[in-house]
Amino acid sequence: MTSRIEIYSPEGLRLDGRRWNEVRHFRCAINTHPVSSDGSSIIEQGNTKVICNVIGPAEPTLRSRSGDRLGISVKIIVAPFSTIERRKRPQSDSRIQEMCSSIQHVFEDAVIAHLFPRSQIDVNLYIVAQDGGVLQACINATTLALIDAGVPMYDYVCACTAGMLDREVLLDMNRIEESDMAFLTMATIGATRKVSLLQLEMKVQFDRLEPMMAAAMSGCHHVRDLMDNEVRKHGKSRRQMGSL
Amino acid sequence: MPRDLTPSTLENTFVLKALTERVRLDNRSFNQLRDLDVSFSSTEYGLVDVKLGRTRVIARISAEITQPYPDRPYDGLFLISTEISPMAAPTFEAGRKSEDELVISRIIEKSIRRSGALDTEALCIISGEKCWAVRADVHFLDHDGGLLDAACIAVSAGLLHFRRPDITIEGVGSRREVIVHPITERVPVPLAVLHVPVCVTFSFFDVRKASSAVAGVPSKDEMKAENDDDDIEEEGDSSIAVLVDATLQEELLRHGYMSVTANTNREICQIQKGGEMPVEVGTLLSCSEAAIIVAEKVTKLINKRLKEDETRRNVGNLLVESRAENDR
């Protein structure tokens, strides 16, 4: 199928003028909703915008969920105006439920859970605009919101996507690129080589898998540095304001 | 209300300790699949019974003619239904989707539908008006771990085995009629299966937790077991045990998992590594490579059984004679 859009030009430029190994414009802010939640963050990766609210640790809503470790309950609300065509997505949509369960498992392991027995953290994610890389934005937003809420974590959990177009690896794809090629979403624990989440949805030759994973990993490490900068900047400004 | 099966602390400790000594409770090696048996029904096309150890899954493929989606007039429909009933295990409730069910249905969707195992364009009869709707129903009869793997094998084998009725289109323009020939009139036609996806689930165990759970510290000799050549985790972290094809008990006790779907073209159709237990990247890559080897073994078995089924049905060589293909 020939498309009139050139995803990757022969000069090495993508649709938005990036090179293959450049992530999109990353903007994040934490403590954006100080009143309504214990921790909050807004992440913008290119045109994908996600808001995250964290409430907790608090008493669990379902008695059956209380155990000797912290439970995390994730809810994702996709705004109907988040895509080009206005579409209402029911909460029971299997894609959304799968994302919720993935994020829950990622953070149940990333948070120092045994410090909070019989407690629960509610994570609410609002996807305001979708332009590819939604799961990665959700994971990054949740990390920042949990840090803002003061929940002890072993390390940042950073996520990034990488795709393979013929033989070219592309990092951090937008919606048009995602629909046109095989891509994977990877979430790492900080700047280590440990992978918490890995999701590949379209067929890819096995030999092309390694470069994709390597690119995604370096993307994750880069995102970690970006998030760390913002957290430290925020901490400094809070200290200066005297609220600490 | 049935409760979740939570294994006892004793089981947990025992299994983990056995893993530090590189022993699995059913004496398989870490890379070994359980006994796999794929049997096709001799009376119906598209009915396949898969036994993976003690896990038993049946897949039923059926096809009917219907209208295609308006935005995809050249494609047929392909639906996979993977509802787990309490027949498989008492922890599953009829009508309510547990998380396991959600994972299984999503991964089967990605492995078989999204990877294009079945060519939906070949299912089109009259574009925009009539097309075949192929439906794969998976029934889980017995749960002993590996429901996902067994279901994937069952659907893939079923798609290869199924034959849809032959059709002819008569008339022109708007007065076209589609005539469906029963099996007694014309030999049924196989589906256009482009590749055979096979899902393999790897279970991760953090064996360092074993030493903290057992009274006393394990000696250094216990930790350094003899090396098999094809063990996955030698290349990565030695503190992680990677098991292929977990039984129910291993599934309940595992700390993390990864499902890789591969086919014999050395393609990886999908990877799903859940969020539990971070694992080294190298280990994940070795697992994907191991999945390809398993896919080749399983595909060989499926093809062998398909051939046996064909010879069984081919009484008096009628099937061969009625085929219009030329010998090459």
Side-chain angles (χ1 to χ4, degrees), chain A residues 175-195:
Chain A
R175 187 182 42 88
I176 301 174
E177 291 169 338
E178 258 183 18
S179 59
D180 219 36
M181 66 180 97
F183 72 97
L184 54 78
T185 306
M186 179 192 278
T188 57
I189 303 288
T192 64
R193 287 167 55 90
K194 295 241 175 201
V195 172

Side-chain angles (χ1 to χ4, degrees), chain B residues 232-251:
Chain B
I232 299 171
E233 72 270 25
E234 290 315 309
E235 298 175 31
D237 226 334
S238 59
S239 61
I240 295 180
V242 183
L243 301 187
V244 173
D245 188 25
T247 59
L248 178 60
Q249 186 185 45
E250 290 168 341
E251 244 183 47

Side-chain angles (χ1 to χ4, degrees), chain B residues 205-234:
Chain B
F205 291 82
D206 188 348
V207 288
R208 286 172 302 185
K209 289 195 182 153
S211 43
S212 55
V214 178
V217 181
S219 60
K220 276 277 163 70
D221 309 291
E222 278 185 282
M223 297 295 265
K224 243 187 277 165
E226 358 133 17
N227 300 333
D228 302 9
D229 328 11
D230 53 355
D231 268 353
I232 299 171
E233 72 270 25
E234 290 315 309

Side-chain angles (χ1 to χ4, degrees), chain B residues 54-217:
Chain B
R54 294 203 318 205
T55 299
R56 196 159 162 215
V57 162
I58 283 188
R60 185 98 162 70
I61 316 286
S62 52
E64 63 170 13
I65 299 187
T66 180
Q67 246 195 350
Y69 290 134
D71 55 341
R72 305 185 132 231
Y74 299 104
D75 276 334
L77 307 178
F78 181 29
L79 269 165
I80 307 181
S81 150
T82 49
E83 276 173 20
I84 310 184
S85 69
M87 178 162 47
T91 54
F92 296 111
E93 286 169 45
R96 216 173 38 128
K97 266 202 167 188
S98 64
E99 198 187 303
D100 288 332
E101 235 181 284
L102 177 70
V103 165
I104 290 178
S105 69
R106 284 291 303 163
I107 296 186
I108 296 263
E109 277 273 320
K110 286 189 254 184
S111 304
I112 302 183
R113 253 171 53 110
R114 282 203 68 177
S115 71
L118 183 66
D119 185 6
T120 46
E121 280 190 15
L123 298 176
C124 179
I125 303 173
I126 300 175
S127 71
E129 284 173 36
K130 292 202 202 306
C131 70
W132 284 105
V134 173
R135 206 195 143 90
D137 285 295
V138 185
H139 301 280
F140 298 89
L141 302 184
D142 231 336
H143 181 27
D144 190 32
L147 283 181
L148 172 61
D149 302 353
C152 191
I153 295 173
V155 178
S156 300
L159 289 174
L160 286 169
H161 186 240
F162 181 66
R163 302 281 184 269
R164 63 164 177 81
D166 197 4
I167 49 162
T168 42
I169 305 175
E170 284 196 355
V172 276
S174 53
R175 286 184 302 126
R176 273 179 297 189
E177 268 185 347
V178 177
I179 301 178
V180 180
H181 300 274
I183 301 186
T184 47
E185 242 181 59
R186 287 230 195 148
V187 177
V189 171
L191 295 173
V193 178
L194 299 174
H195 65 97
V196 184
V198 172
C199 188
V200 186
T201 306
F202 298 89
S203 307
F204 303 120
F205 291 82
D206 188 348
V207 288
R208 286 172 302 185
K209 289 195 182 153
S211 43
S212 55
V214 178
V217 181

Side-chain angles (χ1 to χ4, degrees), chain A residues 69 92-95 97-99 101-102 104-110 178 183-184 186 188-189 192-207 209-210 213-214 217, chain B residues 97 99 102-103 105-107 110 114-116 194-195 208 237 239-240 255 258 263 265-282 284-286 288-289 292:
Chain A
R69 291 167 61 85
S92 55
D93 185 32
S94 54
R95 268 197 83 109
Q97 294 229 308
E98 189 193 19
M99 278 206 286
S101 117
S102 303
Q104 179 192 331
H105 287 304
V106 166
F107 286 99
E108 268 180 358
D109 228 54
E178 258 183 18
F183 72 97
L184 54 78
M186 179 192 278
T188 57
I189 303 288
T192 64
R193 287 167 55 90
K194 295 241 175 201
V195 172
S196 179
L197 175 109
L198 181 62
Q199 213 169 309
L200 170 74
E201 281 188 16
M202 276 172 73
K203 263 193 303 184
V204 92
Q205 271 289 320
F206 171 70
D207 307 313
L209 193 62
E210 193 171 346
M213 285 171 75
M217 177 148 279
Chain B
K97 266 202 167 188
E99 198 187 303
L102 177 70
V103 165
S105 69
R106 284 291 303 163
I107 296 186
K110 286 189 254 184
R114 282 203 68 177
S115 71
L194 299 174
H195 65 97
R208 286 172 302 185
D237 226 334
S239 61
I240 295 180
H255 301 134
M258 172 160 101
N263 61 27
N265 302 334
R266 278 189 77 87
E267 283 173 337
I268 305 285
C269 305
Q270 69 89 32
I271 298 181
Q272 171 85 4
K273 185 204 172 294
E276 315 118 334
M277 188 155 154
V279 174
E280 265 285 317
V281 145
L284 298 182
L285 269 172
S286 328
S288 314
E289 188 150 28
I292 295 180

